[in-house]
Amino acid sequence: MEGLGGLGHLFVTMFVSGFGGVIVLPAITDVTMAALCPGQDQCSLAIYLSGFQQAMAGVGSVVMTPLIGNLSDRYGRKALLTLPLTVSVIPQVILAYSRDTQFFYAYYVVKTLAAMAGEGSFHCLALAYVADKVPDGKRTSAFGILAGVGSASFVGGTLAARFLSTALTFQVASVLSMVALVYMRIFLKDSVPGGALRQPLLKEVEEPCDEDDSSPRATGTFKKLPSLGDLICLLRCSPTFSQAAMVSFFNSLADGGLMAVLLYYLKARFQFNKNQFADLLMITGIGATLAQLFFMPILVPVIGEEKLLSTGLLISCINVFVYSIAWTAWVPYALAGCSVFAVFVRPSLCSIASKQVGPTEQVSLMKKGLAFPTFNTFA
């Protein structure tokens, strides 16, 4: 294992690809409205299509992320990182060429297929790459740096979107996505999986689920996709883990519904455009970065993950309610600032869940895509 010094090219790849993906977020709402409902501030079709796309992406991720994780164990992280980086380029190129209605529908179809085919698996593969390269004692710091790079790309992308035109935004995103892909293929050294996982969470041989069993676990690695029975056994073995999974499911369900409609709602109610969306995303990104880097390390030892999770969920509920009755244009900005506390939900859930498994099983969760879903920073 090389330690943190061997992760520089991964950090560059993640920053450039993240920058290229985030820079289009503030503009895509205006592009969608112009293509589907030109000249209007409200468009039900746009909301329906956005919700359908998120649902299909979720279904595809359930199937593809574990599959890609297993293939990366056999063929290496670098080979499988090529897939999400490649499929992310094509949708950007389509809108960089034209944003007319027919090109938007082409973008929509390709984007949906790309999301289903593993576009979202990049972060899981990046975490697995870090786990391969970094010794156990330094992984927490490495994961923190990786999260910081992602936050920096988010803030930088939204800041750049604030000052670029819509057409130039998609052109820049296309170039950056291609640069990330080429850079990764040229400079990133492949990792060699193996040896890190000594206590697999899901076993080759089906064994009875026994929480009190203290016998050593079989040695081996994942050689098949986790079955429904494996997942049910995992949930039954640990009530705390199953409760955390339930909370994560309903929180992600609410966040997904909110994310599908929020920007369209703000456009219809307050006539927000790309610049206002970029401001909101930038405030949220800066707040999330500060919260995870400074507030969480201070609050977790004092009040614990459970109370921090409850606080984050409560603030998320309040934010959603206040969004629904927002009476003036400054309210969304205030709520974006309050989201600094809502971002505690996912790290708290991951921390609670990670305590239910052994130290080497953390890596197996990342490699197989058995991580909690992403969250909506607006909530």
Side-chain angles (χ1 to χ4, degrees), residues 4-321:
L4 296 176
L7 300 177
H9 294 310
L10 177 68
F11 292 152
V12 173
T13 301
M14 186 168 188
F15 179 84
V16 176
S17 64
F19 196 104
V22 169
I23 196 173
V24 303
L25 293 181
I28 194 62
T29 301
D30 289 341
V31 171
T32 303
M33 294 288 292
L36 301 179
C37 304
Q40 300 181 29
D41 290 329
Q42 301 183 33
C43 185
S44 298
L45 178 59
I47 296 175
Y48 295 147
L49 290 179
S50 177
F52 177 78
Q53 186 178 68
Q54 288 198 15
M56 296 305 296
V59 172
S61 296
V62 169
V63 177
M64 292 299 299
T65 302
L67 175 61
I68 290 173
N70 278 268
L71 291 174
S72 71
D73 286 339
R74 175 174 298 181
Y75 300 106
R77 313 297 178 210
K78 182 175 180 178
L80 272 298
L81 278 169
T82 305
L83 175 62
L85 291 178
T86 301
V87 298
S88 67
V89 172
I90 304 173
Q92 314 285 32
V93 171
I94 293 175
L95 289 187
Y97 179 78
S98 177
R99 287 157 301 283
D100 294 338
T101 301
Q102 61 270 29
F103 284 96
F104 173 81
Y105 278 115
Y107 158 83
Y108 178 83
V109 172
V110 173
K111 179 69 174 178
T112 303
L113 294 175
M116 294 177 64
E119 186 181 24
S121 63
F122 176 80
H123 291 88
C124 288
L125 292 172
L127 289 171
Y129 185 93
V130 171
D132 293 335
K133 291 285 188 178
V134 179
D136 292 353
K138 297 182 179 180
R139 281 180 187 159
T140 301
S141 299
F143 292 151
I145 295 173
L146 192 68
V149 172
S151 298
S153 68
F154 186 92
V155 174
T158 53
L159 179 63
R162 181 65 175 81
F163 300 102
L164 295 176
S165 66
T166 299
L168 190 57
T169 294
F170 286 98
Q171 293 169 5
V172 171
S174 301
V175 172
L176 290 176
S177 297
M178 289 185 281
V179 168
L181 174 60
V182 174
Y183 182 92
M184 186 275 295
R185 292 300 304 172
I186 294 176
F187 295 105
L188 187 69
K189 295 181 180 179
D190 205 350
S191 62
V192 181
L197 181 60
R198 296 179 296 276
Q199 295 176 322
L201 186 62
L202 306 178
K203 309 173 197 47
E204 282 291 312
V205 180
E206 186 175 351
E207 299 177 7
C209 180
D210 186 358
E211 292 181 50
D212 297 326
D213 183 16
S214 58
S215 61
R217 299 190 179 190
T219 302
T221 59
F222 286 85
K223 294 183 179 179
K224 63 176 183 177
L225 291 177
S227 66
L228 180 60
D230 291 328
L231 300 180
I232 292 175
C233 182
L234 171 62
L235 296 177
R236 290 177 57 193
C237 284
S238 173
T240 303
F241 192 94
S242 63
Q243 291 166 7
M246 190 68 68
V247 171
S248 177
F249 172 78
F250 284 108
N251 182 67
S252 299
L253 184 64
D255 286 348
L258 178 66
M259 197 61 185
V261 302
L262 180 59
L263 299 184
Y264 299 104
Y265 165 76
L266 295 177
K267 185 173 184 64
R269 189 170 182 84
F270 302 116
Q271 288 72 54
F272 277 14
N273 58 25
K274 174 181 71 70
N275 293 336
Q276 282 76 48
F277 294 147
D279 292 338
L280 290 174
L281 289 168
M282 186 163 53
I283 293 171
T284 302
I286 293 174
T289 302
L290 294 176
Q292 294 181 76
L293 290 179
F294 300 106
F295 293 160
M296 281 202 70
I298 297 174
L299 294 176
V300 169
V302 176
I303 65 176
E305 293 95 340
E306 291 80 4
K307 291 183 179 179
L308 203 61
L309 172 62
S310 299
T311 301
L313 291 172
L314 177 61
I315 293 176
S316 295
C317 294
I318 294 174
N319 281 4
V320 174
F321 175 74

Side-chain angles (χ1 to χ4, degrees), residues 358-369:
T360 56
E361 291 171 334
Q362 316 295 328
V363 182
S364 71
L365 289 173
M366 299 165 197
K367 291 179 180 178
K368 305 307 161 185

